[in-house]
Amino acid sequence: MSAKKDYYEVLGVDKNADAKTIKRAFLKKARTLHPDVNKAPDAEERFKEVNEAYAVLSDERKRANYDRYGTADGPNGFGSDYVDMSDIFNGFGMDDIFSSFFGGNPGHGTTRTRDMRGRDMSVTLHISLAEAARGTHKTISYERMAPCDDCHGTGTGPGGKVVDCPTCHGTGHVTTVQRTILGQMQSTMACPKCSGTGKIVSNPCETCNGTGRTPSHESVRIDIPAGVHSGQTITAKDKGEAGIRGAACGNLLIQIQVDKDERFERQGDDLYTVVEIDALDAILGCEKTLDGILPDEKVTLKIPAGTQHSDQIRIDRCGMPRMNSNARGTMVAVVRIKVPDNLNKEQMDAIREIVKDREGTAAKKTAKSKRGSKHPFGKR
């Protein structure tokens, strides 16, 4: 879509239109332009434009950016509260949402009675290790089938009501009998009249076509506890797909993915970090102050004299917080020794004297050891 295209013009609304007006305009245009019902050559392209315009104007942050900067992404190319989100499944691309809206039943076989309850949805939410350590909250924007605002999810228009389907008599399925060379064959399938629900609506709501739900762009705030691990799931109850004509909503399942950190490697609740020290500090011992995983946290690392390369020094209660507990894991500092390369002449001469003295002492000890040793069987 061209950057010069006016999203408000695409939906046919005023720039001061409220969210409900924008949604109604979107649904009205979507119903007439969807490729399933409109066979005009440009219908698909116009439908995509309407969908893109709604995706921006239905999101408060994107709309504010668009009104101010002319782009949904803001002045820097991305939103200030951007949440990396992927893996929306169970048929929840916009095409499947609209197929459901226009009477389709994505994700279900035609021989199975349609479930009135809304399906669960799932997203993968990426957070940093620091966010996992302190706990955080994120706002996720996503598309779903939501309860219809105009009929409050009932699917009925003025004076309308829900009645048993006359074709299946409220069972949700029909049975057919066919004659074959093997005799009569009986098969059962979802009722085509009511799509397997067993119910139909007299005088259905014009906005939702009697389903009680409409495509919607929504946001949900997720509270993430401190100490969360990759692979754990947080459930936002009733934030999944809306049920048909007031049936229960599904849940939104947020799978947490903790991204790798530049300073720490997480193993369970322990944090491993590499600490580089001068060879002379390793000989004499020293203390170093490290930045911890929590905000403004300082950790004192005591390096004993004679520390060797790759030694591991453990610091209790400085690792990751444990979920629903005051306990913490351990920080493990892996020592990397660096030989100094910036010593001046006097310092180098001092080290040479130390080396000579050590060599002389070692030679004397070796000679004394040889003089004092005796053959185990005496002279030969």
Side-chain angles (χ1 to χ4, degrees):
M1 183 173 175
S2 171
K4 295 182 179 180
K5 181 72 71 173
D6 188 327
Y7 287 144
Y8 293 100
E9 181 182 335
V10 169
L11 294 183
V13 297
D14 186 79
K15 290 188 176 181
N16 296 321
D18 60 19
K20 191 171 184 179
T21 300
I22 290 174
K23 182 176 180 180
R24 282 181 173 175
F26 162 66
L27 292 174
K28 183 178 179 180
K29 285 186 173 292
R31 289 179 65 85
T32 60
L33 293 174
H34 192 276
D36 286 352
V37 296
N38 191 324
K39 303 305 180 183
D42 63 343
E44 183 175 358
E45 184 61 30
R46 291 173 64 195
F47 176 78
K48 290 180 180 178
E49 289 185 349
V50 167
N51 182 41
E52 182 178 339
Y54 179 67
V56 172
L57 299 185
S58 62
D59 185 295
E60 291 184 7
R61 176 183 60 79
K62 290 181 179 180
R63 183 179 180 182
N65 284 337
Y66 177 72
D67 289 343
R68 185 174 182 182
Y69 305 108
T71 172
D73 295 327
N76 299 318
F78 53 86
S80 59
D81 60 349
Y82 174 73
V83 177
D84 184 9
M85 185 179 67
S86 60
D87 194 30
I88 299 179
F89 64 90
N90 279 343
F92 278 95
M94 284 303 296
D95 287 342
D96 284 336
I97 284 180
F98 276 101
S99 293
S100 180
F101 180 52
F102 285 101
N105 192 18
H108 294 271
T110 57
T111 59
R112 179 178 173 184
T113 298
R114 186 175 183 181
D115 189 0
M116 299 282 284
R117 178 185 181 275
R119 292 172 296 179
D120 291 341
M121 300 175 66
S122 178
V123 299
T124 297
L125 178 62
H126 290 259
I127 63 174
S128 68
L129 184 64
E131 289 174 326
R134 68 175 183 265
T136 186
H137 65 267
K138 295 287 185 180
T139 298
I140 297 176
S141 297
Y142 64 111
E143 314 289 342
R144 73 159 180 157
M145 295 297 291
C148 175
D149 292 331
D150 288 348
C151 67
H152 306 290
T154 64
T156 60
K161 60 181 180 179
V162 179
V163 298
D164 285 345
C165 173
T167 301
C168 66
H169 305 291
T171 64
H173 59 267
V174 292
T175 301
T176 59
V177 178
Q178 293 179 320
R179 292 180 176 275
T180 71
I181 59 174
L182 300 177
Q184 290 186 336
M185 300 293 290
Q186 181 173 294
S187 61
T188 301
M189 61 181 294
C191 175
K193 177 72 174 178
C194 63
S195 298
T197 65
K199 303 289 182 179
I200 61 170
V201 179
S202 64
N203 191 27
C205 170
E206 292 183 357
T207 303
C208 66
N209 200 31
T211 64
R213 57 187 191 172
T214 57
S216 180
H217 181 91
E218 301 194 3
S219 297
V220 59
R221 177 186 166 112
I222 305 299
D223 293 320
I224 301 171
V228 67
H229 286 262
S230 284
Q232 288 185 305
T233 299
I234 297 173
T235 300
K237 189 172 177 58
D238 297 332
K239 294 299 183 180
E241 182 189 48
I244 300 174
R245 291 195 289 275
C249 293
N251 299 323
L252 179 63
L253 309 177
I254 301 97
Q255 187 176 66
I256 301 298
Q257 177 64 49
V258 182
D259 293 333
K260 291 184 177 180
D261 188 82
E262 292 182 355
R263 295 186 301 132
F264 295 106
E265 179 181 325
R266 184 179 189 178
Q267 295 186 17
D269 290 322
D270 293 340
L271 293 175
Y272 285 74
T273 186
V274 174
V275 178
E276 188 175 85
I277 65 172
D278 190 282
L280 298 179
D281 288 334
I283 293 171
L284 300 175
C286 64
E287 285 190 0
K288 281 189 171 292
T289 300
L290 309 178
D291 290 329
I293 191 65
L294 296 179
D296 302 321
E297 182 180 38
K298 300 297 180 182
V299 178
T300 300
L301 175 65
K302 296 181 178 180
I303 301 171
T307 293
Q308 302 296 310
H309 187 78
S310 297
D311 279 356
Q312 296 183 0
I313 303 174
R314 302 176 67 84
I315 312 168
D316 293 335
R317 294 185 59 81
C318 288
M320 288 291 290
R322 293 194 174 100
M323 282 186 60
N324 304 317
S325 171
N326 292 326
R328 292 181 65 178
T330 299
M331 181 185 292
V332 181
V334 182
V335 176
R336 295 287 184 264
I337 296 178
K338 180 182 179 181
V339 176
D341 57 4
N342 58 350
L343 299 178
N344 58 36
K345 184 177 183 303
E346 289 76 11
Q347 292 170 330
M348 293 292 289
D349 289 341
I351 292 175
R352 289 190 184 95
E353 289 299 323
I354 293 172
V355 172
K356 288 180 181 179
D357 182 65
R358 283 172 54 83
E359 289 176 346
T361 301
K364 290 178 181 178
K365 286 183 177 180
T366 301
K368 184 177 180 180
S369 176
K370 287 182 177 180
R371 287 196 301 269
S373 65
K374 295 181 178 180
H375 195 279
F377 301 105
K379 292 183 179 180
R380 300 185 66 179

